[in-house]
Amino acid sequence: MAALVAALAETPSIIEGLRISGELAAAASATIEPWATVRLLERAIVASVADGDALTAFGAIHALGRVQDDAADAVLVPLIRSPEPGIAGHAAWVLGSRLPDLSVVHGLVAMVAAGGFDGMVAQRTLLQWSPLTGRLVRNAIIDEIFHLGGSGPASDLGGDGEEDREGAVRRLLDTLDGDVQLPTVPRSPGPAGRGVTVVQPFLHARLDAAGSRLGAGDAGGIASLLRSLGSSLPRHPAVREVVTVTRAHPTADGWEGPTDELGAGHRLVRIRYGPAHEVAPADAWIHRVAIERELTHLAAALSGPVVWHLRMADVGTLAAAAVARRFGHRVVFTAAPDPHAPMVARQAAGELDRAGFGAADDHEHLWFRAVLVARLVADADRLVVLPRPDLTTTLRALLGIDVDHPDGRVVVIPEGVDTAALDRAEHRRTTTSAPASAVQRVCAALPAERRHLPWLMTVGRLNPMKGPHRLAEAWAGSPELRERFNVVVVGGDLVDPSAVERATMALIGCGGGEADGLVLAGQVRPDEVADLLVHAANGGVYVAASDKEEFGLAVVEALGAGLAVVAPEQGGASTYIDQGVTGLVTDTRSVPALRRAIVDVVALASDRGRSDQARAMVRADLSVSTMAERLGDLYAALVTRPSRDRAMSAFPR
């Protein structure tokens, strides 16, 4: 045990620290000297907090939570009041798997009132304890409501008022009482006949039939994929219906409607939770119970075999996994090494270290998300993985996945793009005399003398992770590129930007303004994105300056339009880019490296043979119809086999 604590404190690697922490927790649960183990872990927590070593502190807290002795509680309970980032949240997390301690109930209720991720884990602990304590937990919550100044009846979940401390506690009380029913999701009979119903949740997207909000806020590549994939899957003979689940967003007239039809056999369900304003992904954790209740209503309305395809390490996936287990539905998980691989890359780049891990975890919930991914990898009926360099080695090292295991549980399936939309855009370009309206809008934003120049183009969420500011800086710092190209950045809500979008716009402004040849085109519909890509393919270059792209759907779409591309070396782009032929992968986090790659790839832009090769490759291997065919086969085979034994709780230990 002492050797594991020392190894955890000494390893320079955060990822290795997470692995050692798992071993430490397992050893603590099996200890035959609980008192000595508690004292060892207590000393480790005190020393690591004093040294600012959050990695060791968190590992010791989780190990302490596995020691079967009351002495562990005496150490854990005071940590709820710790002012150090993350300590209280991790302590509240592990207390949920222990017997109730009434002395800490008020502290946990106060964490719920404060909201956020720590509020979510505190809420879960109180819900775990409530059946074991009679009315004691409920009474403590009522005391907290009066302490906050309230006296009226509990408010309805999903009400229209602003989220506040008292409201958060009232919602917890409602949950304990079990007397608040959220609106049920209207049931759709779906297409006639038998087959699999596929549920694909992504709560942070804003979807409609036209894709009018794709590219704004948090609705990026995954949202676009689910929209096109969901409409392609019902063409598979084994798929009866696809249900894509998002959040109902507030509008000027109230809330978005609960359902929409995105295509034949593809139904959109919008669930309501939280306050009547936008909820960022990092702020959505506190709504786990409401989300789970809404998904329970949805699951109860489904008939026949059901498969939940989960993709994100977020609160929606956490809630959906629990609901799927409750109903005995099958689960497919697209397993990507995230946050694992980004942590490795950030540490290698000097952007994350042990000293800063506590603050990063407090903001990004890295530990919880890593454990959630590990839990889903262990419990899912099937794992889908995306192609990436050194796939077998990377997934075994970071996630413990054996891609080559003969049981066939792991399937490699590339993502795909809507090549039909690209073909329609190409047809419009060659058969109409005037450019497409989206192209005209971009050109109108440019000085007249620059409108003939080709584009350096990028498409995606307006987020620093996507690197549009690096593209702007690379272009602005090269007289050659400034003279030869305009820059067109597609994505983001320019009318009512989020805080992240505003910050990204400010970063891009450092590289130049629209008068100098840089245009922020904002969010446009998918058909308009296709028009812009097809136009840019005439001498232009597509630049994905992202930190990383797990696969890179926008890069694939650009190749399908005939563009030469620059893409990040982190992720899967190198598995389909023919280096030096159809494009280049490079270290896109480095502006000088990005600039060199753009200059080098310009020579490829006018090569018609290169363009034809890229277009043909995408249509043969990376279309959404090919992806849907392979997934449909997977779903069909899955529901005909016995279900795997799985734990009923999806909440990570």
Side-chain angles (χ1 to χ4, degrees):
M1 186 78 67
L4 286 171
V5 172
L8 175 58
E10 294 168 4
T11 179
S13 167
I14 292 173
I15 289 295
E16 179 66 8
L18 290 174
R19 187 193 64 77
I20 295 171
S21 294
E23 294 184 2
L24 181 62
S29 68
T31 184
I32 59 174
E33 298 179 320
W35 190 88
T37 299
V38 169
R39 298 283 77 83
L40 172 68
L41 295 172
E42 181 183 22
R43 289 193 298 270
I45 293 169
V46 172
S48 55
V49 168
D51 294 339
D53 180 9
L55 190 64
T56 299
F58 296 164
I61 289 170
H62 283 270
L64 195 60
R66 303 286 287 274
V67 178
Q68 302 303 311
D69 192 278
D70 292 344
D73 298 291
V75 178
L76 286 168
V77 166
L79 296 178
I80 292 296
R81 297 186 295 274
S82 173
E84 298 298 323
I87 296 294
H90 281 268
W93 175 0
V94 301
L95 282 171
S97 60
R98 303 187 65 80
L99 291 175
D101 187 318
L102 298 181
S103 70
V104 78
V105 168
H106 280 282
L108 292 171
V109 173
M111 291 176 70
V112 175
F117 179 83
D118 288 356
M120 182 272 288
V121 293
Q123 176 193 64
R124 182 255 185 177
T125 293
L126 290 169
L127 293 175
Q128 294 279 99
W129 286 358
S130 183
L132 306 175
T133 62
R135 297 178 60 84
L136 293 175
V137 168
R138 185 183 188 280
N139 291 341
I141 294 171
I142 293 174
D143 289 345
E144 184 68 16
I145 291 175
F146 278 94
H147 173 71
L148 292 169
S151 59
S155 62
D156 186 69
L157 283 165
D160 293 331
E162 290 292 309
E163 185 78 353
D164 56 21
R165 293 172 62 87
E166 182 185 337
V169 179
R170 288 184 179 281
R171 274 180 281 279
L172 174 59
L173 181 63
D174 292 337
T175 301
L176 290 175
D177 288 347
D179 58 4
V180 175
Q181 294 297 318
L182 292 172
T184 57
V185 176
R187 180 173 180 176
S188 167
R194 303 178 63 182
V196 180
T197 295
V198 180
V199 185
Q200 44 181 24
F202 181 43
L203 302 184
H204 311 302
R206 291 195 68 170
L207 291 178
D208 55 31
S212 62
R213 293 288 297 174
L214 290 175
D218 297 300
I222 294 296
S224 180
L225 172 69
L226 296 187
R227 176 178 171 272
S228 57
L229 176 64
S231 296
S232 294
L233 275 169
R235 300 177 192 135
H236 191 286
V239 177
R240 178 185 184 215
E241 183 185 23
V242 175
V243 180
T244 298
V245 187
T246 67
R247 181 188 182 223
H249 289 76
T251 67
D253 300 323
W255 292 80
E256 292 176 312
T259 61
D260 202 352
E261 296 297 324
L262 300 186
H266 185 195
R267 177 165 53 111
L268 177 69
V269 169
R270 301 185 183 97
I271 63 174
R272 274 183 58 176
Y273 61 87
H277 57 67
E278 297 299 321
V279 176
D283 299 327
W285 294 96
I286 192 62
H287 303 293
R288 177 186 68 88
V289 172
I291 293 167
E292 191 170 317
R293 190 175 296 177
E294 282 278 24
L295 293 179
T296 298
H297 288 314
L298 170 63
L302 300 175
S303 59
V306 177
V307 174
W308 295 69
H309 195 143
L310 310 179
R311 292 175 168 87
M312 311 293 292
D314 66 355
V315 66
T317 288
L318 176 63
V323 171
R325 284 162 174 73
R326 189 175 303 128
F327 282 84
H329 295 160
R330 308 302 172 86
V331 173
V332 174
F333 179 51
T334 293
D338 189 353
H340 308 72
M343 280 195 284
V344 171
R346 289 165 63 185
Q347 191 169 12
E351 299 171 1
L352 179 66
D353 58 19
R354 290 183 61 116
F357 180 73
D361 183 71
D362 194 44
H363 179 65
E364 303 174 55
H365 326 305
L366 297 170
W367 189 296
F368 186 91
R369 288 168 52 218
V371 178
L372 174 59
V373 169
R375 181 65 178 267
L376 289 165
V377 164
D379 288 354
D381 294 282
R382 290 290 183 276
L383 299 176
V384 172
V385 296
L386 306 177
R388 59 186 296 126
D390 302 320
L391 175 69
T392 300
T393 302
T394 300
L395 293 187
R396 182 178 290 118
L398 296 181
L399 298 181
I401 295 176
D402 185 357
V403 176
D404 301 319
H405 196 282
D407 66 2
R409 182 168 169 258
V410 183
V411 183
V412 182
I413 300 181
E415 293 180 342
V417 298
D418 186 357
T419 56
L422 295 172
D423 292 339
R424 290 192 296 269
E426 181 64 34
H427 178 74
R428 286 193 293 270
R429 189 187 72 84
T430 57
T431 58
T432 57
S433 56
S437 59
V439 175
Q440 293 184 46
R441 291 197 300 271
V442 171
C443 291
L446 290 163
E449 66 273 15
R450 296 190 63 93
R451 291 174 185 170
H452 67 286
L453 296 177
W455 299 349
L456 302 178
M457 181 178 172
T458 191
V459 179
R461 292 177 293 126
L462 207 52
N463 188 299
M465 292 179 59
K466 292 298 182 180
H469 58 294
R470 290 192 286 266
L471 169 57
E473 186 178 347
W475 169 78
S478 168
E480 175 189 358
L481 292 178
R482 284 181 66 93
E483 181 180 350
R484 292 186 59 181
F485 293 95
N486 296 312
V487 171
V488 178
V489 178
V490 178
D493 187 339
L494 305 184
V495 177
D496 184 22
S498 67
V500 172
E501 289 172 329
R502 285 194 299 272
T504 310
M505 290 163 67
L507 289 173
I508 294 172
C510 297
E514 290 189 356
D516 296 320
L518 188 152
V519 175
L520 299 183
Q523 170 269 328
V524 300
R525 300 190 313 269
D527 60 316
E528 293 180 321
V529 172
D531 286 329
L532 293 171
L533 288 170
V534 167
H535 176 85
N538 293 284
V541 173
Y542 184 87
V543 184
S546 320
D547 293 355
K548 59 100 182 176
E549 288 289 345
E550 205 54 53
F551 191 65
L553 285 169
V555 181
V556 174
E557 195 170 12
L559 287 168
L563 278 152
V565 302
V566 175
E569 59 189 6
Q570 292 290 331
S574 63
T575 63
Y576 54 79
I577 292 175
D578 190 346
Q579 184 78 342
V581 178
T582 58
L584 290 173
V585 294
T586 190
D587 179 9
T588 50
R589 297 171 66 94
S590 163
V591 171
L594 179 66
R595 183 181 294 123
R596 287 192 298 271
I598 295 171
V599 170
D600 290 343
V601 89
V602 165
L604 305 176
S606 60
D607 185 342
R608 183 65 188 177
R610 183 272 318 154
S611 177
D612 290 343
Q613 177 181 338
R615 287 166 48 86
M617 181 275 296
V618 170
R619 282 156 179 77
D621 302 327
L622 299 177
S623 71
V624 74
S625 58
T626 300
M627 180 186 184
E629 182 178 356
R630 297 190 64 185
L631 283 175
D633 290 344
L634 183 153
Y635 301 147
L638 177 59
V639 298
T640 62
R641 298 178 182 179
S643 178
R644 301 177 70 240
D645 290 333
R646 297 177 305 203
M648 286 303 294
S649 172
F651 203 96
R653 286 195 63 181

